[in-house]
Amino acid sequence: MSNDEIFAAAYREHYWAVSRYVARRLDGRTSEVEEVVADVFTIAWRRRADLPAAPLPWLYGVARNCLANAVRGYGRRRRLVDRLGNDETAHGRHIVDSPDTEPPGAWVHEALNRLSPADQEVLRLTAWEELAVEEVAVALGCGRRAAAMRLHRARRRLRAEIDRLCPPTVSKERSHG
């Protein structure tokens, strides 16, 4: 198979997995997701001779870098909009969520959000993307042992955050269940 055919197969097989990976990290902002995914596959096309036999973890690694670049760009744009006074509060509007909009289990997401971005990413790669430690190592660009240690430490820190935030009813269920 030629490099072009290998790329085409990787694109067909993994486009939606990469799209979901990016969407979960951008909270589904569709136009931004499409831009980042396009960047991922543009880089994959340019580096099609380097695509590994199992390209998905490698594509996730590329997506992580593209997301980091995109987030920096969004931050710069947001600061510019704020300086120009075009944010919602400048027009007398302030959007406040209703108290009942918190979804069940939101405290788990809150605990996850309290972790460092590196801890969040290693946990998401294993939970959301269902990668094995070897694949996490490829996505993070580190060795298998380093990936396993990062995952272990991230899980331990998440457990500590959950224990700190855990609602009383859940604590009772866990101790009785």
Side-chain angles (χ1 to χ4, degrees):
M1 234 188 329
S2 74
N3 288 339
D4 292 359
E5 292 169 325
I6 291 169
F7 169 81
Y11 180 85
R12 279 191 308 274
E13 187 174 342
H14 301 300
Y15 177 85
W16 291 112
V18 172
S19 293
R20 287 187 302 271
Y21 173 91
V22 172
R24 284 190 284 258
R25 284 151 180 84
L26 291 177
D27 296 325
R29 297 182 303 240
T30 307
S31 64
E32 295 166 4
V33 170
E34 291 170 357
E35 286 179 39
V36 173
V37 172
D39 289 344
V40 170
F41 282 103
T42 298
I43 291 167
W45 170 256
R46 284 189 209 127
R47 297 192 51 203
R48 62 191 178 276
D50 300 331
L51 280 174
L56 187 58
W58 183 85
L59 290 168
Y60 286 153
V62 172
R64 286 181 69 236
N65 293 332
C66 290
L67 279 163
N69 290 338
V71 167
R72 280 192 296 274
Y74 302 145
R76 285 190 295 272
R77 281 194 293 271
R78 183 75 241 166
R79 286 189 299 277
L80 176 61
V81 167
D82 289 347
R83 273 195 305 256
L84 295 174
N86 289 337
D87 65 333
E88 292 166 346
T89 57
H91 298 290
R93 294 178 299 173
H94 185 71
I95 299 171
V96 178
D97 286 336
S98 152
D100 60 349
T101 59
E102 185 173 294
W107 53 272
V108 175
H109 293 284
E110 183 179 341
L112 182 65
N113 288 335
R114 288 174 176 240
L115 299 177
S116 72
D119 283 350
Q120 290 179 36
E121 183 63 7
V122 72
L123 292 167
R124 288 175 175 150
L125 285 168
T126 57
W128 291 355
E129 314 314 331
E130 300 178 356
L131 296 185
V133 172
E134 295 80 14
E135 296 169 316
V136 169
V138 172
L140 295 178
C142 64
R144 185 203 178 287
R145 292 181 71 173
M149 184 56 70
R150 286 183 189 182
L151 178 59
H152 171 74
R153 290 177 178 161
R155 285 178 174 159
R156 189 179 63 218
R157 288 189 276 265
L158 179 63
R159 173 87 266 157
E161 287 298 330
I162 289 172
D163 288 345
R164 187 174 338 175
L165 295 171
C166 195
T169 57
V170 176
S171 295
K172 289 176 189 169
E173 290 171 7
R174 210 175 353 166
S175 64
H176 291 97

